[in-house]
Amino acid sequence: MSLLEQMGNLGTEVARAARAKESADEERGEGAFNRALELFELTIVDDRWRGPRRREICLVRELFIDFIAGENTYGESAESLDRYFMPFALAARIEAGYA
């Protein structure tokens, strides 16, 4: 998968976890949180994304974890995470010829 596809898919799980947190659906939220973490890890260890890209992915993972499971020190919201990930999903669709 391209970086756009990986980040778009990751954004889907991040959004699911964020929505579950807002609706206090702990079971659904835990599953989405774990899937998102797994996708973050798979993306981070991909040698194609060395350097600044990897650092950015690690930073976004930190923001996500803090929002879902931490004290939300950085003041993130479901909307701010969506604003970050949505361009990846849209660009992946264009790249794949769906838009």
Side-chain angles (χ1 to χ4, degrees), residues 34-78:
N34 290 331
R35 283 188 302 276
L37 288 180
E38 181 179 3
L39 290 174
F40 269 116
E41 294 308 315
L42 291 170
T43 305
I44 288 166
V45 300
D46 189 329
D47 284 335
R48 295 177 295 166
W49 321 131
R50 286 178 280 219
R53 287 183 178 138
R54 184 172 287 157
R55 284 190 293 276
E56 181 176 344
I57 296 164
C58 289
L59 174 61
V60 173
R61 178 187 59 181
E62 181 178 342
L63 297 173
F64 167 69
I65 292 170
D66 181 55
F67 172 67
I68 297 294
E71 296 180 16
N72 199 17
T73 305
Y74 301 106
E76 292 300 323
S77 65

